Amino acid sequence: MKQKLIQLKEEFTAEIADVKDLKKLETLENKYLSRKSGLLTNLMKGIKEVAKEEIAEIGTLANETKNYIINKLEELRASLNRDLIDFDFTVPGKKPPVGHLHLATIAIREIESILEPLGFIRVRHPDVEWDYYAFETLNMPGDHPARDDWETFFIDEAPIKMNLPENSLKLVKEGRRLLTPHTSSIQVREMEKGILPIRMMNISKCYRRQIDISHVPMFHQLEGLVIDKDINITHLKGTIDYFVKKFFGENRTIRLRPHHFQFTEPSFEVDISCGLCQGTGKLEDGSSCRMCKEGWLELAGAGMVHPNVLKAGGIDPNVYSGFAFGWGVERCFSMKSGLNIDDLRLMYKNDLRFNEQF
């Protein structure tokens, strides 16, 4: 039995040396390892006739022979497969798919690039804010509608101890946390730094209980704040007009409408001519524009910083003045000419067919 196994191994080694293709390799594999008629298989059937004292030695030799045959077959198969590959290594490979920036990110980067030449510096403040900064410092009394639980996402049901800066002018040290409803909450935080003049922009996430074609519960908002001596409305109007021409195009126009905000006086709503209907209020088929209805879109809230807000930040309103403006980034981007985005909710449906258009 031992001699037969040695002879089988030698015969296999001689035969495999002459194999040059996969078909012959398969034939050789069946000849030696087939479960029904393989030479090694048939040889192993005779192990029951081996003397007991030789079974261990013969069993070990049989396993070694089998593993030898299997390994040699696999090595040759791999070699033959490599030889069959018809590949031109000079052909350029396929480029992997590249990710796409979200529309909000595209808009934020463009806004930054427009305002930075004017000296605006981007700052960051918490998305989870105290009602003190979100409302009280902005001249909003406790019964203001914005402070209702159905308007703002409050985190705390009751006031808790606040962690305020040491130079904060607030005497009562308790308040409620909330998801900041507007980027205006950072105005007094910037003033408390005590560094004047101020020319900053804050682009951050905001949260409100609203959802329709022009509102989403989480959105990005831009806040601009300028505080210096002798700042007036002409500086505010000039800044916004400059931004609109750069961001939307020279053919877009703005208008200022008197409005009321608790933290600015005087206050304005800033409108921009609609890019979907070209300011006419009508689409090409004669139907009313779904986006604007009347040819104008509300772009921003703006105004001169209220004296009470300056006082809350430790700034003398008799010496300094300033202006502030804020608008939704997604809404602003949707107003660009040619985009024809008539529903802001499309931006957050995670539909690649929509995002890949931009």
Side-chain angles (χ1 to χ4, degrees), residues 68-329:
Y68 173 81
I69 293 173
I70 291 174
N71 291 336
K72 287 296 182 180
L73 289 170
E74 291 302 320
E75 288 176 6
L76 183 57
R77 180 177 286 108
S79 177
L80 293 173
N81 283 330
R82 283 195 298 270
D83 294 340
L84 290 175
I85 296 176
D86 183 14
F87 182 74
D88 185 355
F89 291 92
T90 64
V91 175
K94 292 183 179 180
K95 293 183 178 180
V98 179
H100 186 283
L101 292 177
H102 191 272
L103 296 185
T105 303
I106 295 173
I108 288 171
R109 292 184 178 182
E110 187 173 354
I111 291 169
E112 283 186 302
S113 68
I114 293 173
L115 293 179
E116 282 177 352
L118 297 183
F120 284 84
I121 299 173
R122 187 174 180 185
V123 300
R124 293 297 302 270
H125 288 283
D127 288 349
V128 177
E129 186 58 280
W130 294 105
D131 58 357
Y132 169 67
Y133 287 110
F135 299 123
E136 289 182 39
T137 63
L138 297 179
N139 204 35
M140 294 186 184
D143 59 353
H144 193 277
R147 304 183 73 162
D148 190 277
D149 286 349
W150 290 104
E151 291 291 332
T152 299
F153 291 102
F154 281 95
I155 296 175
D156 302 308
E157 293 185 4
I160 62 173
K161 183 178 180 180
M162 290 192 294
N163 181 20
L164 296 176
E166 294 182 0
N167 56 345
S168 172
L169 300 179
K170 182 173 175 59
L171 298 178
V172 179
K173 302 300 181 180
E174 290 188 344
R176 297 171 69 188
R177 291 171 299 179
L178 48 83
L179 298 180
T180 183
H182 48 208
T183 47
S184 301
S185 62
I186 60 91
Q187 288 189 16
V188 170
R189 283 186 178 273
E190 282 298 305
M191 297 179 201
E192 287 177 341
K193 293 179 180 179
I195 303 174
L196 294 170
I198 296 173
R199 189 173 298 185
M200 72 89 207
M201 58 176 161
N202 176 34
I203 309 175
S204 185
K205 292 179 181 178
C206 296
Y207 308 84
R208 296 181 188 175
R209 293 179 181 268
Q210 297 175 317
I211 183 165
D212 53 42
I213 66 170
S214 58
H215 298 86
V216 285
M218 187 288 296
F219 60 99
H220 294 81
Q221 193 176 68
L222 160 71
E223 181 78 14
L225 176 66
V226 173
I227 297 178
D228 202 348
K229 296 178 180 179
D230 302 321
I231 296 295
N232 56 58
I233 294 176
T234 61
H235 298 117
L236 168 61
K237 186 176 185 298
T239 300
I240 295 178
D241 191 57
Y242 163 83
F243 174 84
V244 166
K245 299 297 185 185
K246 290 287 186 180
F247 191 82
F248 297 102
E250 294 293 332
N251 62 325
R252 305 294 287 275
T253 57
I254 67 168
R255 70 177 182 183
L256 299 183
R257 289 183 291 108
H259 198 69
H260 171 73
F261 296 112
Q262 289 291 130
F263 39 91
T264 53
E265 180 60 38
S267 303
F268 306 95
E269 286 277 16
V270 182
D271 297 334
I272 181 175
S273 56
C274 179
L276 192 62
C277 65
Q278 308 307 315
T280 64
K282 299 287 185 180
L283 300 178
E284 293 181 358
D285 60 3
S287 62
S288 298
C289 179
R290 186 187 181 199
M291 192 69 175
C292 70
K293 305 293 192 298
E294 298 177 352
W296 293 95
L297 290 167
E298 177 189 330
L299 172 66
M304 304 303 294
V305 180
H306 197 289
N308 289 346
V309 177
L310 292 173
K311 291 177 183 178
I315 295 177
D316 187 350
N318 296 316
V319 178
Y320 289 91
S321 58
F323 66 81
F325 55 85
W327 55 69
V329 172

